[in-house]
């Protein structure tokens, strides 16, 4: 079996569903702390699937991780678990250090103890795949080339600093202990099961609810968007064929200013769920766009150069931004039960804190 951490979150959840969609796939042990971002409703379709073992737990729990690795004879660990939202890291960085840095450290130590006792063959085949982000590279000017794997680490937010620290730990555990690790650094994901604190699901759900669509600052910050299922296929490919100790950038060559992204979403909603009362400008979703205070230390531009992954491992994304965003908006329209579950409770407190 493989061990997935954070598999009740957005990307981890999509990964688990995609992996188990293959009837021949190995089973998954899924360890997740179920923070505000973890959601078992995402995994509902696996309720009666014996290939999925869910464990409510913390990656920082060394004993638990070691016992699961032994009990299920794990042959690969995929580490998705993290605190992932930049704005939350600005309000309270402590949880980010706890999970992203100390949690990864404890997980690496449990994996090292387990791996050291494996047979030579099992040792050789074992993998620790660490899922990281392009934010560790810092911010680009408009004319800089996209981030390659050799770009210096220049993290700017508590979130990206904590992810950078975890990447360094993973690298060191390979260099010092020969642990068979690979790291992926991906750009901004979007798609089904995305928690609506992040720009794309927030805009879709606020638009449908008739609420303001908050744009930080001038809205000209650039992100490089990748459909989440393309990120999952990249991770599968890296797990299969990636070189030990290497890092791979994952991205879709889809750089877009935030304001453009929001206009595209509004346009798709105007088509798929037009507001009653005709097509006047004030009746279009874009009329809900509202400029709000900027994020402190806001990174201006991210862009990923995915040449290494494409040329060495033959990976290509299946979706363009246009096809991916259409699918995403449609998914939110079709999955009201999931979104209603998420929008209740503690999410409301977050919205109050962040947007006043
Ligand atoms: P998410 O916040 O949606 O999910 C994180 C999951 O981890 C949740 O289910 C949460 O309950 C779980 N978790 C948190 N702390 C834990 C702990 N101590 N032990 C066990 N589980 C814990 O995050 P996401 O967007 O799915 O991101 C997944 C990974 O991918 C993260 O490592 C993130 O840094 C990375 N990443 C995200 C993006 C993106 O655009 N979302 C892009 C590149 C990389
Ligand atoms: O680049 C990869 C990263 O992408 C991941 O590592 C992070 O886990 C993930 O959260 C994401 O970080 P961002 O900060 O880029 O994503 P977010 O969706 O929060 O914001 C995207 C852009 O939109 C960013 O420039 C801030 C802006 N924004 C965001 C929100 C929530 C707004 O303008 N208004 C908003 O209300």
């Amino acid at each position: 079996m493989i061990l997935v951490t954070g598999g009740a979150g957005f990307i981890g959840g999509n990964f688990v569903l995609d992996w188990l969609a293959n009837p021949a796939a190995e089973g998954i042990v899924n360890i997740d702390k179920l923070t505000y971002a973890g959601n078992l409703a995402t995994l509902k379709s696996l309720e009666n699937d014996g290939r999925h073992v869910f464990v409510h737990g913390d990656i920082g729990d060394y004993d638990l991780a070691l016992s699961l690795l032994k009990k299920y004879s794990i042959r690969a660990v995929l580490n998705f678990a993290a605190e992932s939202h930049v704005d939350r890291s600005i309000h309270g960085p402590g949880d980010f250090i706890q999970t992203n840095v100390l949690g990864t450290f404890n997980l690496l130590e449990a994996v090292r103890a387990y791996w050291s006792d494996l047979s030579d063959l099992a040792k050789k085949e074992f993998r620790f795949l660490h899922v990281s982000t392009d934010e560790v590279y810092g911010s680009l000017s408009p004319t800089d080339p996209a981030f390659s794997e050799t770009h210096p680490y220049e993290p700017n937010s508590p979130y990206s600093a904590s992810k950078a620290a975890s990447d360094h730990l993973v690298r060191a555990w390979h260099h010092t202990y020969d642990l068979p690790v690979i790291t992926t650094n991906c750009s901004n994901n979007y798609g089904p099961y995305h928690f609506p604190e992040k720009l794309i699901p927030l805009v879709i759900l606020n638009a449908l609810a008739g609420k303001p669509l908050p744009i930080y600052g001038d809205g000209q910050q650039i992100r490089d968007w990748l459909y989440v299922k393309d990120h999952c296929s990249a991770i599968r490919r890296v797990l299969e064929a990636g070189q030990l100790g290497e890092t791979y950038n994952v991205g879709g060559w889809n750089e877009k200013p935030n304001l453009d992204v929001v206009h595209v979403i509004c346009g798709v909603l105007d088509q798929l769920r037009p507001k009653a009362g005709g097509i006047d400008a004030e009746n279009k979703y874009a009329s809900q766009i509202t400029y709000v205070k900027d994020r402190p230390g806001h990174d201006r531009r991210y862009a990923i150069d995915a040449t290494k992954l494409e040329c060495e491992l033959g990976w290509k994304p299946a979706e363009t931004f246009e096809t991916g965003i259409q699918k995403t908006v449609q998914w939110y329209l079709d999955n009201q039960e999931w979104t209603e579950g998420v929008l209740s409770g503690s999410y409301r407190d977050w919205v109050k804190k962040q947007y006043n």
Side-chain angles (χ1 to χ4, degrees), residues 83-87 132-135 159 163 186-189 194 197-202 213-217 219 221-225 258 292 295 298-299 302 354-355:
E83 288 293 336
S84 71
H85 191 33
V86 174
D87 292 323
S132 192
T133 169
D134 60 359
E135 299 202 12
Y159 162 68
K163 288 297 290 186
C186 189
S187 60
N188 284 61
N189 283 215
H194 203 179
E197 63 188 353
K198 309 281 170 69
L199 180 71
I200 287 184
L202 179 93
L213 311 181
I215 306 283
Y216 295 166
Q221 305 83 3
I222 292 173
R223 296 293 182 266
D224 189 350
W225 294 96
N258 293 337
V292 302
R295 172 186 281 175
H298 200 167
D299 283 339
Y302 304 142
Q354 174 68 1
Y355 301 95

XYZ file of all heavy atoms in Angstrom, residues 83-87 132-135 159 163 186-189 194 197-202 213-217 219 221-225 258 292 295 298-299 302 354-355, ligand 2:
384
model
N -0.508 23.065 6.449
C -1.330 24.270 6.508
C -1.002 24.993 5.210
O 0.178 25.197 4.890
C -0.945 25.122 7.716
C -1.369 24.536 9.048
C -2.884 24.509 9.234
O -3.589 25.319 8.595
O -3.365 23.676 10.016
N -2.027 25.393 4.449
C -1.760 25.793 3.059
C -2.193 27.210 2.673
O -1.954 27.622 1.540
C -2.456 24.796 2.115
O -3.853 24.988 2.171
N -2.838 27.959 3.590
C -3.394 29.241 3.135
C -2.539 30.426 3.597
O -2.385 30.673 4.804
C -4.829 29.391 3.628
C -5.557 30.547 2.995
N -5.334 30.971 1.698
C -6.506 31.381 3.480
C -6.100 32.002 1.422
N -6.824 32.272 2.482
N -2.029 31.181 2.634
C -1.125 32.306 2.915
C -1.762 33.303 3.889
O -1.127 33.740 4.856
C -0.728 33.014 1.597
C 0.088 34.268 1.878
C 0.028 32.062 0.679
N -3.026 33.685 3.650
C -3.656 34.694 4.513
C -3.747 34.211 5.962
O -3.557 34.985 6.895
C -5.061 35.041 3.991
C -5.000 35.773 2.651
O -4.081 36.590 2.465
O -5.864 35.508 1.791
N 5.354 20.050 -2.643
C 5.598 21.429 -2.238
C 5.098 22.418 -3.296
O 4.343 22.049 -4.196
C 7.078 21.635 -1.909
O 7.239 22.882 -1.262
N 5.539 23.641 -3.164
C 4.900 24.747 -3.871
C 5.923 25.633 -4.586
O 7.098 25.681 -4.200
C 4.104 25.612 -2.850
O 3.687 26.810 -3.474
C 4.956 25.987 -1.646
N 5.450 26.360 -5.593
C 6.326 27.324 -6.278
C 6.608 28.554 -5.408
O 7.536 29.319 -5.676
C 5.719 27.761 -7.621
C 4.353 28.427 -7.522
O 3.816 28.564 -6.392
O 3.805 28.809 -8.570
N 5.804 28.743 -4.332
C 5.965 29.959 -3.517
C 7.303 30.006 -2.796
O 7.727 31.074 -2.354
C 4.827 30.081 -2.501
C 3.473 30.182 -3.167
C 2.397 30.807 -2.296
O 2.714 31.389 -1.246
O 1.231 30.722 -2.697
N 3.772 31.138 5.393
C 3.447 29.857 4.737
C 4.608 29.374 3.874
O 5.090 28.244 4.018
C 2.174 30.007 3.882
C 2.023 28.896 2.852
C 1.776 27.584 3.240
C 2.162 29.163 1.477
C 1.663 26.563 2.300
C 2.049 28.149 0.539
C 1.797 26.850 0.953
O 1.697 25.840 0.022
N 7.088 26.058 4.184
C 7.218 25.030 3.133
C 8.676 24.920 2.684
O 9.184 23.820 2.434
C 6.316 25.364 1.931
C 4.839 25.185 2.164
C 4.413 23.758 2.470
C 4.515 22.827 1.279
N 3.945 21.476 1.586
N 4.804 22.785 -7.142
C 3.727 23.054 -8.111
C 3.197 24.479 -7.991
O 3.296 25.125 -6.954
C 2.595 22.051 -7.883
S 1.337 22.108 -9.168
N 2.607 24.940 -9.095
C 1.967 26.260 -9.132
C 0.551 26.165 -8.557
O 0.145 25.112 -8.057
C 1.926 26.749 -10.580
O 1.187 25.815 -11.346
N -0.219 27.244 -8.654
C -1.575 27.305 -8.076
C -2.511 26.280 -8.702
O -2.682 26.267 -9.925
C -2.190 28.694 -8.307
C -1.616 29.731 -7.386
O -0.427 30.008 -7.400
N -2.469 30.322 -6.564
N -3.130 25.482 -7.871
C -4.107 24.496 -8.343
C -5.530 25.060 -8.257
O -5.806 25.922 -7.412
C -4.081 23.265 -7.444
C -2.901 22.343 -7.695
O -3.026 21.134 -7.581
N -1.751 22.887 -8.035
N -12.201 22.263 -3.760
C -11.270 23.302 -3.332
C -11.943 24.118 -2.234
O -13.035 24.660 -2.433
C -10.940 24.196 -4.529
C -9.647 24.937 -4.430
N -9.205 25.760 -5.426
C -8.700 24.989 -3.473
C -8.039 26.274 -5.087
N -7.709 25.822 -3.894
N -11.720 29.330 0.831
C -10.917 30.460 1.309
C -9.981 30.918 0.197
O -9.440 32.012 0.245
C -10.089 30.035 2.526
C -9.077 28.939 2.187
C -8.371 28.336 3.387
O -8.549 28.825 4.498
O -7.652 27.343 3.187
N -9.779 30.091 -0.832
C -8.853 30.375 -1.928
C -9.588 31.084 -3.065
O -10.797 30.920 -3.230
C -8.218 29.073 -2.431
C -7.614 28.188 -1.341
C -6.249 28.675 -0.890
C -5.729 27.954 0.351
N -5.371 26.564 0.189
N -8.833 31.847 -3.858
C -9.463 32.787 -4.795
C -10.557 32.164 -5.680
O -11.678 32.682 -5.726
C -8.390 33.436 -5.695
C -8.967 34.432 -6.708
C -9.462 35.706 -6.023
C -7.947 34.791 -7.786
N -10.237 31.087 -6.392
C -11.186 30.610 -7.413
C -12.500 30.096 -6.810
O -13.582 30.586 -7.190
C -10.494 29.614 -8.378
C -9.551 30.421 -9.285
C -11.513 28.794 -9.174
C -8.827 29.651 -10.371
N -12.474 29.182 -5.833
C -13.770 28.765 -5.270
C -14.483 29.894 -4.533
O -15.725 29.974 -4.546
C -13.401 27.623 -4.319
C -11.942 27.771 -4.058
C -11.344 28.415 -5.260
N -13.705 30.803 -3.910
C -14.322 31.938 -3.204
C -15.134 32.786 -4.183
O -16.280 33.173 -3.913
C -13.228 32.795 -2.563
C -13.699 34.031 -1.819
C -13.896 33.712 -0.344
C -12.717 35.187 -1.937
N -16.993 40.231 -4.793
C -15.864 39.396 -5.229
C -14.598 40.182 -4.881
O -14.215 41.109 -5.601
C -15.936 39.136 -6.738
C -17.314 38.661 -7.248
C -17.280 38.413 -8.761
C -17.759 37.404 -6.505
N -13.948 39.853 -3.755
C -12.873 40.709 -3.230
C -11.573 40.562 -4.003
O -11.016 39.470 -4.115
C -12.690 40.198 -1.785
C -13.214 38.800 -1.792
C -14.199 38.672 -2.905
N -11.070 41.676 -4.547
C -9.798 41.686 -5.269
C -8.786 42.417 -4.391
O -8.985 43.592 -4.067
C -9.932 42.480 -6.596
C -11.079 41.946 -7.443
C -8.611 42.509 -7.355
C -10.785 40.678 -8.178
N -7.705 41.754 -4.020
C -6.673 42.387 -3.202
C -5.882 43.385 -4.057
O -5.412 43.044 -5.153
C -5.677 41.364 -2.671
C -6.218 40.320 -1.698
C -5.464 39.189 -1.399
C -7.448 40.469 -1.063
C -5.917 38.236 -0.502
C -7.917 39.519 -0.164
C -7.152 38.401 0.110
O -7.602 37.448 0.992
N -5.695 44.611 -3.529
C -4.862 45.605 -4.212
C -5.397 45.920 -5.598
O -6.605 46.130 -5.779
N -5.232 43.886 -8.246
C -5.675 42.695 -8.980
C -4.736 42.294 -10.110
O -5.062 41.411 -10.915
N -1.706 40.998 -9.695
C -0.759 39.942 -9.297
C -0.998 38.726 -10.205
O -2.148 38.410 -10.537
C -0.978 39.537 -7.826
C -0.916 40.677 -6.839
C -2.225 41.435 -6.724
O -3.220 41.090 -7.331
N -2.220 42.492 -5.937
N 0.099 38.092 -10.566
C 0.004 36.985 -11.530
C 0.239 35.644 -10.836
O 1.187 35.498 -10.054
C 1.021 37.201 -12.670
C 0.571 38.419 -13.491
C 1.169 35.951 -13.529
C 1.569 38.849 -14.536
N -0.626 34.684 -11.139
C -0.451 33.306 -10.690
C -0.482 32.402 -11.923
O -1.016 32.770 -12.964
C -1.575 32.888 -9.707
C -1.570 33.705 -8.392
C -0.335 33.400 -7.570
N -0.276 34.087 -6.282
C 0.354 35.249 -6.076
N 0.943 35.891 -7.080
N 0.405 35.777 -4.871
N 0.091 31.200 -11.776
C 0.218 30.250 -12.890
C -0.675 29.063 -12.548
O -0.370 28.322 -11.613
C 1.709 29.841 -12.956
C 2.054 29.041 -14.184
O 1.140 28.628 -14.906
O 3.256 28.821 -14.406
N -1.793 28.902 -13.240
C -2.852 27.997 -12.770
C -2.764 26.610 -13.395
O -2.548 26.470 -14.606
C -4.220 28.621 -13.057
C -4.433 29.863 -12.251
C -4.223 31.150 -12.652
C -4.837 29.940 -10.873
N -4.488 32.025 -11.612
C -4.865 31.305 -10.510
C -5.185 28.991 -9.907
C -5.230 31.749 -9.235
C -5.543 29.425 -8.642
C -5.568 30.788 -8.318
N -4.840 38.137 -11.494
C -6.034 37.743 -10.726
C -7.326 38.331 -11.301
O -8.342 37.661 -11.368
C -5.886 38.205 -9.271
C -4.771 37.467 -8.562
O -4.386 36.357 -8.964
N -4.217 38.066 -7.512
N -10.371 45.436 -2.436
C -10.185 45.485 -0.974
C -8.701 45.649 -0.670
O -7.848 45.596 -1.564
C -10.753 44.211 -0.279
C -12.233 44.032 -0.576
C -9.977 42.956 -0.695
N -3.033 42.114 0.434
C -2.395 41.159 1.360
C -1.017 41.706 1.735
O -0.254 42.094 0.840
C -2.262 39.828 0.611
C -1.470 38.763 1.313
C -1.281 37.534 0.400
N -2.448 36.683 0.358
C -2.562 35.617 -0.428
N -1.583 35.278 -1.249
N -3.650 34.866 -0.411
N 2.393 40.824 -0.344
C 1.804 40.062 -1.453
C 2.811 39.816 -2.582
O 3.299 40.773 -3.193
C 0.617 40.876 -1.985
C -0.362 40.090 -2.774
N -1.595 40.574 -3.103
C -0.305 38.850 -3.308
C -2.256 39.683 -3.804
N -1.483 38.618 -3.943
N 3.093 38.566 -2.900
C 3.978 38.237 -4.031
C 3.315 38.666 -5.334
O 2.132 38.404 -5.566
C 4.245 36.725 -4.075
C 5.270 36.287 -3.027
O 6.045 37.144 -2.557
O 5.292 35.090 -2.697
N 4.087 34.659 -9.895
C 4.677 33.320 -9.919
C 4.542 32.787 -11.340
O 3.522 33.023 -12.008
C 3.929 32.323 -9.024
C 3.769 32.690 -7.570
C 2.590 32.381 -6.894
C 4.799 33.292 -6.855
C 2.434 32.681 -5.543
C 4.643 33.592 -5.505
C 3.461 33.282 -4.869
O 3.302 33.573 -3.535
N -11.153 37.930 7.985
C -10.327 38.336 6.851
C -10.918 39.517 6.085
O -10.203 40.378 5.609
C -10.128 37.125 5.913
C -9.408 37.421 4.620
C -7.930 37.780 4.818
O -7.411 37.794 5.932
N -7.262 38.101 3.730
N -12.249 39.539 5.926
C -12.870 40.550 5.055
C -13.710 41.553 5.843
O -14.423 42.353 5.249
C -13.736 39.867 3.986
C -12.939 38.903 3.116
C -12.896 37.542 3.416
C -12.210 39.360 2.026
C -12.160 36.666 2.639
C -11.457 38.490 1.241
C -11.438 37.147 1.558
O -10.706 36.276 0.787
O 1.436 28.979 -5.786
C 0.991 27.844 -5.094
C 0.191 28.276 -3.893
O -1.058 28.739 -4.376
C 0.008 27.177 -2.864
O 1.252 26.809 -2.341
C -0.914 27.641 -1.729
O -1.164 26.568 -0.843
C -2.214 28.097 -2.347
O -3.058 28.597 -1.330
C -1.977 29.165 -3.403
O -1.499 30.402 -2.785
P -2.026 31.844 -3.278
O -1.833 32.803 -2.176
O -1.471 32.179 -4.614
O -3.589 31.460 -3.496
P -4.945 32.254 -3.136
O -6.051 31.500 -3.798
O -5.062 32.534 -1.684
O -4.753 33.622 -3.892
C -4.543 33.666 -5.282
C -4.320 35.128 -5.650
O -5.556 35.836 -5.492
C -3.327 35.838 -4.775
O -2.579 36.780 -5.548
C -4.174 36.580 -3.743
C -5.436 36.900 -4.535
N -6.697 36.959 -3.753
C -6.979 35.906 -2.937
C -8.142 35.918 -2.176
C -8.463 34.763 -1.249
C -7.559 38.031 -3.885
O -7.280 38.965 -4.668
N -8.710 38.038 -3.151
C -9.022 37.040 -2.281
O -10.085 37.126 -1.598
